[in-house]
Amino acid sequence: MFSHNKRLQYTVHVSEPNPGLANLMLEQFGGPQGELAAACRYFTQALAEEDPGRKDMLFDIATEELSHLEVIGNIVVMLNKGAKGHLAEGVEAEGEIYRSITGAGNDSHLTQLLYGGGAPLVNSAGVPWTAAYVDTIGEPTADLRSNIAAEARAKIVYERLINLTDDPGVKEALGFLMTREIAHQKSFEKALYSITPSFPPGKLPGDPRFTHTYFNLSQGPGDTRGSWNQGEQWDYVEDSDACLAVDGGSGESSADLSAPDAELTQQFAERTASDPAMDPVTGADLGSSPILDEIENKTSTKKKK
Amino acid sequence: MFSHNKRLQYTVHVSEPNPGLANLMLEQFGGPQGELAAACRYFTQALAEEDPGRKDMLFDIATEELSHLEVIGNIVVMLNKGAKGHLAEGVEAEGEIYRSITGAGNDSHLTQLLYGGGAPLVNSAGVPWTAAYVDTIGEPTADLRSNIAAEARAKIVYERLINLTDDPGVKEALGFLMTREIAHQKSFEKALYSITPSFPPGKLPGDPRFTHTYFNLSQGPGDTRGSWNQGEQWDYVEDSDACLAVDGGSGESSADLSAPDAELTQQFAERTASDPAMDPVTGADLGSSPILDEIENKTSTKKKK
Amino acid sequence: MFSHNKRLQYTVHVSEPNPGLANLMLEQFGGPQGELAAACRYFTQALAEEDPGRKDMLFDIATEELSHLEVIGNIVVMLNKGAKGHLAEGVEAEGEIYRSITGAGNDSHLTQLLYGGGAPLVNSAGVPWTAAYVDTIGEPTADLRSNIAAEARAKIVYERLINLTDDPGVKEALGFLMTREIAHQKSFEKALYSITPSFPPGKLPGDPRFTHTYFNLSQGPGDTRGSWNQGEQWDYVEDSDACLAVDGGSGESSADLSAPDAELTQQFAERTASDPAMDPVTGADLGSSPILDEIENKTSTKKKK
Amino acid sequence: MFSHNKRLQYTVHVSEPNPGLANLMLEQFGGPQGELAAACRYFTQALAEEDPGRKDMLFDIATEELSHLEVIGNIVVMLNKGAKGHLAEGVEAEGEIYRSITGAGNDSHLTQLLYGGGAPLVNSAGVPWTAAYVDTIGEPTADLRSNIAAEARAKIVYERLINLTDDPGVKEALGFLMTREIAHQKSFEKALYSITPSFPPGKLPGDPRFTHTYFNLSQGPGDTRGSWNQGEQWDYVEDSDACLAVDGGSGESSADLSAPDAELTQQFAERTASDPAMDPVTGADLGSSPILDEIENKTSTKKKK
Amino acid sequence: MFSHNKRLQYTVHVSEPNPGLANLMLEQFGGPQGELAAACRYFTQALAEEDPGRKDMLFDIATEELSHLEVIGNIVVMLNKGAKGHLAEGVEAEGEIYRSITGAGNDSHLTQLLYGGGAPLVNSAGVPWTAAYVDTIGEPTADLRSNIAAEARAKIVYERLINLTDDPGVKEALGFLMTREIAHQKSFEKALYSITPSFPPGKLPGDPRFTHTYFNLSQGPGDTRGSWNQGEQWDYVEDSDACLAVDGGSGESSADLSAPDAELTQQFAERTASDPAMDPVTGADLGSSPILDEIENKTSTKKKK
Amino acid sequence: MFSHNKRLQYTVHVSEPNPGLANLMLEQFGGPQGELAAACRYFTQALAEEDPGRKDMLFDIATEELSHLEVIGNIVVMLNKGAKGHLAEGVEAEGEIYRSITGAGNDSHLTQLLYGGGAPLVNSAGVPWTAAYVDTIGEPTADLRSNIAAEARAKIVYERLINLTDDPGVKEALGFLMTREIAHQKSFEKALYSITPSFPPGKLPGDPRFTHTYFNLSQGPGDTRGSWNQGEQWDYVEDSDACLAVDGGSGESSADLSAPDAELTQQFAERTASDPAMDPVTGADLGSSPILDEIENKTSTKKKK
């Protein structure tokens, strides 16, 4: 069960409202790398987790991410603080309000107009948050790697937001949030490497014919070798033609059909065949070709009432 | 520039059409962990990549993933091969077709009805593929970790699909595809650890007060310690109350408002205040409370024409 | 700041795993009327709320909804408990696993295959949760009405889920969750009617010419009168023609254009005009009409090499 | 069956094209609180409605909302009227067109570039309309409350749009549309309270142990009492710890598993356990730790060819 | 302005409720090729249309499509008619209801559980309708072609639905709806070919070097020639290598950067370079390699407290 | 199988970075009419195609569209080239970076902040690409028409992009891409008209009573006749009333219900009836009506503790 304290995990002070900046901060509120995504990711993993240590860790971190969602949400709300009343109370000249929410350096019209200057769960372009951002699949050696990557991404987006603002209170709170992503990544790394083995993920081994092969499918200027495709652990297939039908078969696909199925498939194919022996007049011809003008005119004349 | 050979990278043979199984295979065609997601992920990273080695590797692997999309797509099409003609040609009794596309073990109605037995870019529940699945952010120490995680997830979903079928040709082709995810993960790992340092990702360092702290925000039965929250590299904060306002401030949020902004905000607050001193009759009361019956009746009587 | 206790708000006991039922329960986990929607709705309102009483209430209820998300999530996980291991460990015959996740009364293939038997944030059809479900707009007389409606909807969906199962532990926990929606609706009703006035919502009054008018735009069999369109407070406009251009104007739309704008618009219109004086041969004609056969054949003959 | 008259329900006159303002108006055309959402909401309810009075009312209002969609659509089209020809005819210097569709106060590039200056079913951020906005569930005591809330929200968004413009023709037409939301809300209120009882919604009563309880789950500064949580009809649970396992049970979740299921679950858990007794070297360590430099170098030296 | 008559454009009679079939019918209600898509497509085109003939035609057909939406919606509602009461009234044994909404041949659980047996704007897989289905771009020679294609698709999906059912009333109403798509396609064809020229669409001519070229980019077994790539109007480029850099340039991309931009780009590239001269130990190595066991153990021993 | 050459199909040279313009170019990268949509459309059709000529053509064109995706992606990346380093390296004053990514004529904040100056699969408003854009249904006479329309749309969007820029290298590459859409449309037209017959699409004929009827459902000013609704091939139904129940029936919908189903439906209807004989006090009345003040006050006084 969750409980809540109206004090934040980190104090937020904003020097000056700035709805345009608030809009950018939404990236970490309702954006794909943001705190709702993080909280949902770890919370749902915690629910289904069989391992007591990971379950506890996932609940700890999910709860902290919810608390971070609250911190970044407060940053958004404080940056919108002044603007909110203008549109709701409508006391100014209309042109003034219009200019203030659509002016240069301010893409906040959606936030003001649709969401009333609150903190909506959208990214900085106004795209609603979707659980399609959460890539949990219920296998810890995969999910922990997903968590490590998610923390790395969130750290970078915070870094970019920090580079965008010179409000010291905003910078400091963002710095705290960014730092926690580093700490969380470290925890997830520890939990991953405490599973042995953790690679390859899952239970089935790979087919040994193809675990060490590197296919050089992009040819031409810029071909480069490095530890990712050279060294004793790699078989490097240089030529793309050698990548075709690597099983040694025909490289075709086939299915054994029952006789009635085969017949129906054939019937469909015949009914819808494009005859390569024909060079038909087409709609594009009708719409463009001067050589058809005569024919068309004659025909439409005939058809006119 | 891409080119194509109509031979596959791996030969596909299906023993018997099975639209229900085809539907499950869509998970790796148009699903979040599938091959379109993989191809798009690496292709878009390759476009923006500054490092020649990674750029080449990303194009190599993106091209292979497109070729895998083709392999899994052929599996889907072959498993649908028989069913496709039935609905299109409509030669059977209607009830028969209805039963065959909605029967037990077969959730393929969408595939047949809307997509005509083809290979649509949806997952096994019919949800259209979305670029929201692609989590690239343009920083290699994050993107390579995302790629590693994506390969791990794809490996697991292939493993599950292999566990579902006993068609030997399908099993073998899926085994190839699964194995390649292992190989790709290895390449991405090599490329990641060839960046020094690769942790923490990005350029800004963390705030040293919070990089080594673990907040025990989930209390109660099941609290567990492990390398993810204990050891010399961690400060473990046991008590949730100690997690409040860790900056030492008030834990509140505030913004410095101009006088007119403050006034408008106040005006909005007053206009919309919920008066705690009042215990109003509500809509729920109107809809339920027997003690209001008399009042209501009297009023509606008065208002009746 | 949030904190968490690994004990639930309500104990969950499941008599027998049932992945098909688990799938239906997702409706209140990641569905539009579910607990994540409720928690996000109230939490984001709380962040932007200016009124201290409502802010406190919204945080109280948001926190409880998060705790309910945990309860329904545990129901889902427990109902999937047995199935999860089968696919992951793959120890059975493949046909067996296939039948068990696609069999009659069980639409759980997505849950098992993609999400590994966890509790994903999707509805019972597998559609990912989206913040488009959250209709908060930052004006309390609207948002409280939205909350009242949301609680009413959630109550009904729980009622339907209760009607579907005879597992006593599931029924009891669902009963608790359903009941709390009733209590929350009551709180939101109190808060709404503590704002005076609360109708019409917002600040601008309606145009008195149209606040009491009812337009009978759907004619024909079944026209019915009731308090929603009759009585002294309504002007009933019987005839649809009388609903046209109720301002008394032309009912047309127009814009004053500058001369260059008007000219460009005209130029575009002329370039793309469909000439009503013409009866052209069309693509449909080409594809169907026997009377065109001769012409077509002649033309294609001429064009053949 | 619907029929249409090319005259509008309300005359639209625009003094001056303004694509930036057109873009904002889309909020009530293809936005979540807009007229398409309203029309779809009432039309689909009308189809399934069993009650003749409500069915008639829902068709009346759905038809009016379609007519409002046409009015707001005409406002959008008239505001774009001038701009449309510029991009289509391309007669100006390119820089000029670029500046005119991306300039300050004008976020209309999407409308011009992708939709050709028409009236697309997107909101002011360009997010396509989705039926996820429609929250109908087929129970009148819930759906009517949803309709009341929807009308309240639409009224507010119109109010904000009115506050944004000083074009008298636009203001007047918006005023009409806003007023009709007030009238519709009144009709839905009448229809709701004509159902007795209307609270609680649905058929199942709540569990009397929990219908009158208020859980104070958000503690700390700002705790407030009001009619929503105090008075004779409420049991106020002050302490969050008292909110745990309110059924009096363990607060844990459990499922009775068959022996084979239990064994497989255990097998999965063991295979994927994170060993708390281990403090492994991690990927983060590899990417950062100077104390590992020596080991790494030695290893990579050994592995170099 | 729209008006409505509660009589349908085509009478609907259903012999026997069938929620499973109702679910399939949703494809033409809220699916991508369905009637809402058609109505929205033509209605929004009509609003922005400059040509009076097309504007009138688009309103005529949009209005008819709305009336078709009503017909197919009534089919859905009638097919659900019996089932709706069962779940709402909950008078049966729970297992019974569960079996009836999840049984073989019936994927209607979403319709019943979430939408209460109504007619929701989703497709047969439960995916909510989205305006992303509407491909209008505001240029008539493109939009009319899109309309022609949309009518062709809708005709086919109706044909498939007709093939699925043997209820004579449903078959007859579907036959009417299917037929109207044919008639509409004919109208749109006439309107398209009444624009001269209609090909190529738009105003800018193509680059004559590339309007007649066909690039044979897919090589290998199955290469076929036909009127689409042979004949006097085509230049056929046989060899894929000849398709590279067809402008005769380097086939590379470049941008002229200012000196500071170039320097920053270089700085970013260097900071994030993957060193090809290094063969690092990776996370995959840590998780798998037996040759690292000794090193790891030693290290973790050192780091243990 | 695909292979790749790091040389482009068309050389790209950008004179000057311009992130605002890059953002607009995304329309043809990850937008609905863009190259990913085209490639996916033709590739998935090719997979399921039975006709060898069309299969080959679809692979040829799909492969070319992938190569075009690469060209437009390189345009995007080159236009972002300078900006990318600024945010990543963060060497400037923060206000400077903020202004540069949110300034007039530049809506690129999403591209920079979330995607790091890369080429994300979103449109110019930041909406992620979705497979809902792909309208393939697996019937060639419909799919080829969809392809023709898609090429026409893509041609127009390129034309608009060309009108927006004066960078000669960008203009030239866009001109190539636009031209290829014309050539592809021609190929698809040839393939369509090589199917005989191609109209009406599919196998079932229309109902001859309704294939030649035109319903004049939009009345009033602007009614226009043209080849789309007049001439010997059309029956024009002038009066909307004559469009009702064209089958000659009642225009009502009905279902034959079993007795228990009918009874349950009736029970539901009665439980939820809105009584037209009642004029209830409503929530709107409570929130607004001064005549209720006395009653409310009395009641709330009674209820106060």
Side-chain angles (χ1 to χ4, degrees), chain C residues 141-152:
Chain C
T141 54
D143 289 346
L144 287 167
R145 286 181 168 96
S146 297
N147 298 355
I148 288 165
E151 295 290 344

Side-chain angles (χ1 to χ4, degrees), chain B residues 119-167:
Chain B
L121 290 165
V122 301
N123 76 352
S124 74
V127 178
W129 192 88
T130 161
Y133 297 149
V134 179
D135 49 24
T136 298
I137 61 163
E139 160 71 40
T141 52
D143 288 345
L144 287 167
R145 285 181 168 95
S146 298
N147 298 355
I148 288 166
E151 295 291 344
R153 294 192 302 268
K155 195 270 179 188
I156 295 295
V157 178
Y158 274 123
E159 181 167 335
R160 290 174 184 161
L161 287 174
I162 290 170
N163 283 345
L164 280 174
T165 179
D166 50 9
D167 183 318

Side-chain angles (χ1 to χ4, degrees), chain A residues 79-277:
Chain A
L79 286 167
N80 275 328
K81 189 88 176 181
K84 185 183 176 171
H86 291 248
L87 195 55
E89 299 305 304
V91 293
E92 286 149 290
E94 298 90 355
E96 201 56 45
I97 302 182
Y98 175 70
R99 272 184 296 279
S100 81
I101 74 168
T102 61
N106 184 349
D107 194 20
S108 75
H109 58 78
L110 184 79
T111 316
Q112 303 300 316
L113 189 51
L114 180 56
Y115 301 118
L121 290 164
V122 300
N123 76 353
S124 74
V127 178
W129 192 88
T130 163
Y133 298 148
V134 179
D135 50 24
T136 298
I137 61 163
E139 160 69 41
T141 52
D143 288 345
L144 287 167
R145 284 182 169 95
S146 297
N147 298 354
I148 288 166
E151 296 290 344
R153 294 192 301 270
K155 195 270 179 187
I156 296 293
V157 178
Y158 274 125
E159 181 167 336
R160 290 174 184 162
L161 288 174
I162 290 170
N163 282 346
L164 279 175
T165 179
D166 50 9
D167 183 317
V170 174
K171 253 185 141 64
E172 189 188 326
L174 292 174
F176 169 72
L177 297 171
M178 180 191 79
T179 299
R180 296 304 297 154
E181 313 295 16
I182 299 173
H184 294 162
Q185 181 177 343
K186 283 164 58 181
S187 288
F188 291 128
E189 297 252 2
K190 287 292 182 188
L192 172 63
Y193 293 102
S194 297
I195 303 173
T196 45
S198 63
F199 182 84
K203 196 172 171 189
L204 288 183
D207 178 337
R209 293 177 297 164
F210 303 112
T211 46
H212 298 81
T213 312
Y214 187 95
F215 295 116
N216 181 30
L217 280 165
S218 175
Q219 310 279 338
D223 260 22
T224 309
R225 304 294 297 270
S227 58
W228 44 89
N229 64 16
Q230 80 180 352
E232 58 194 30
Q233 67 185 297
W234 292 109
D235 296 328
Y236 186 79
V237 182
E238 175 105 36
D239 179 14
S240 356
D241 283 353
C243 306
L244 280 165
V246 290
D247 59 305
S250 66
E252 296 188 341
S253 64
S254 54
D256 296 338
L257 294 187
S258 66
D261 278 8
E263 192 179 341
L264 270 178
T265 303
Q266 181 61 18
Q267 183 178 322
F268 174 79
E270 279 170 15
R271 180 168 63 77
T272 61
S274 286
D275 181 359

Side-chain angles (χ1 to χ4, degrees), chain E residues 159-264:
Chain E
E159 181 167 337
R160 291 174 183 162
L161 288 174
I162 290 170
N163 282 344
L164 279 174
T165 179
D166 51 9
D167 184 317
V170 174
K171 252 183 143 63
E172 190 189 324
L174 293 174
F176 170 72
L177 297 172
M178 181 190 79
T179 299
R180 297 304 298 152
E181 313 295 16
I182 299 174
H184 294 162
Q185 182 177 343
K186 284 164 57 182
S187 289
F188 291 129
E189 298 252 3
K190 286 292 183 189
L192 172 63
Y193 293 101
S194 299
I195 302 173
T196 45
S198 62
F199 181 84
K203 196 172 170 188
L204 287 183
D207 178 337
R209 294 177 297 164
F210 302 113
T211 45
H212 298 84
T213 312
Y214 187 96
F215 295 116
N216 181 31
L217 280 165
S218 175
Q219 309 279 338
D223 259 22
T224 310
R225 305 292 297 271
S227 58
W228 45 90
N229 63 17
Q230 78 181 353
E232 58 194 29
Q233 66 187 296
W234 293 110
D235 296 327
Y236 185 78
V237 182
E238 176 103 38
D239 179 14
S240 356
D241 283 354
C243 307
L244 280 165
V246 290
D247 58 307
S250 66
E252 297 187 343
S253 64
S254 54
D256 297 337
L257 295 187
S258 67
D261 280 8
E263 191 179 342
L264 270 177

Side-chain angles (χ1 to χ4, degrees), chain F residues 6-290:
Chain F
K6 277 175 284 289
R7 293 176 69 204
L8 299 171
Q9 199 186 5
Y10 206 93
T11 306
V12 167
H13 180 74
V14 164
S15 309
E16 190 185 21
N18 181 343
L21 186 61
N23 191 58
L24 301 184
M25 295 292 154
L26 288 174
E27 215 50 77
Q28 287 302 86
F29 188 73
Q33 318 309 341
E35 299 290 357
L36 181 64
C40 287
R41 171 187 293 272
Y42 308 137
F43 173 68
T44 56
Q45 285 177 27
L47 290 178
E49 182 56 73
E50 303 288 343
D51 187 73
R54 288 197 304 265
K55 193 180 193 85
D56 177 49
M57 173 188 72
L58 288 161
F59 273 129
D60 283 332
I61 299 183
T63 309
E64 187 173 351
E65 303 289 20
L66 278 174
S67 305
H68 293 177
L69 185 69
E70 193 181 13
V71 173
I72 187 79
N74 271 280
I75 293 175
V76 171
V77 165
M78 287 300 124
L79 286 167
N80 275 329
K81 189 88 175 180
K84 184 182 177 171
H86 291 248
L87 195 54
E89 300 305 304
V91 292
E92 285 149 291
E94 297 90 355
E96 200 56 44
I97 302 182
Y98 174 70
R99 271 185 295 279
S100 80
I101 75 169
T102 61
N106 185 347
D107 195 20
S108 75
H109 58 77
L110 183 79
T111 315
Q112 303 300 316
L113 188 50
L114 179 56
Y115 301 117
L121 289 164
V122 301
N123 75 354
S124 75
V127 178
W129 192 89
T130 162
Y133 297 148
V134 180
D135 50 23
T136 298
I137 62 164
E139 160 69 41
T141 53
D143 289 346
L144 288 167
R145 284 182 169 95
S146 298
N147 298 355
I148 288 166
E151 295 291 343
R153 295 192 301 270
K155 195 271 179 187
I156 296 294
V157 178
Y158 275 124
E159 181 167 335
R160 291 174 183 160
L161 288 174
I162 290 170
N163 282 345
L164 280 174
T165 178
D166 51 9
D167 183 318
V170 174
K171 251 184 144 61
E172 190 189 323
L174 292 173
F176 170 71
L177 297 172
M178 180 190 79
T179 299
R180 297 305 297 153
E181 313 295 17
I182 298 173
H184 295 162
Q185 181 176 342
K186 283 163 58 182
S187 289
F188 291 129
E189 297 254 2
K190 286 292 182 189
L192 172 62
Y193 293 102
S194 298
I195 303 173
T196 45
S198 63
F199 181 83
K203 196 173 172 189
L204 288 182
D207 179 335
R209 294 177 296 165
F210 302 114
T211 45
H212 298 82
T213 313
Y214 187 97
F215 296 116
N216 180 30
L217 280 165
S218 175
Q219 309 279 339
D223 260 21
T224 309
R225 305 292 298 271
S227 58
W228 44 90
N229 63 17
Q230 80 180 352
E232 58 195 29
Q233 67 186 296
W234 292 110
D235 296 328
Y236 185 78
V237 182
E238 174 104 37
D239 180 15
S240 355
D241 284 353
C243 307
L244 279 164
V246 289
D247 58 306
S250 66
E252 297 188 342
S253 65
S254 54
D256 296 338
L257 294 187
S258 67
D261 279 8
E263 191 179 341
L264 270 177
T265 304
Q266 182 59 19
Q267 182 177 323
F268 173 79
E270 279 170 15
R271 180 167 63 77
T272 62
S274 285
D275 181 359
M278 182 180 172
D279 185 5
V281 178
T282 70
D285 294 333
L286 289 186
S288 59
S289 175

Side-chain angles (χ1 to χ4, degrees), chain C residues 255-271:
Chain C
D256 296 338
L257 295 188
S258 66
D261 280 7
E263 192 178 341
L264 271 177
T265 304
Q266 182 60 18
Q267 182 178 325
F268 174 78
E270 280 170 16
R271 180 168 62 77

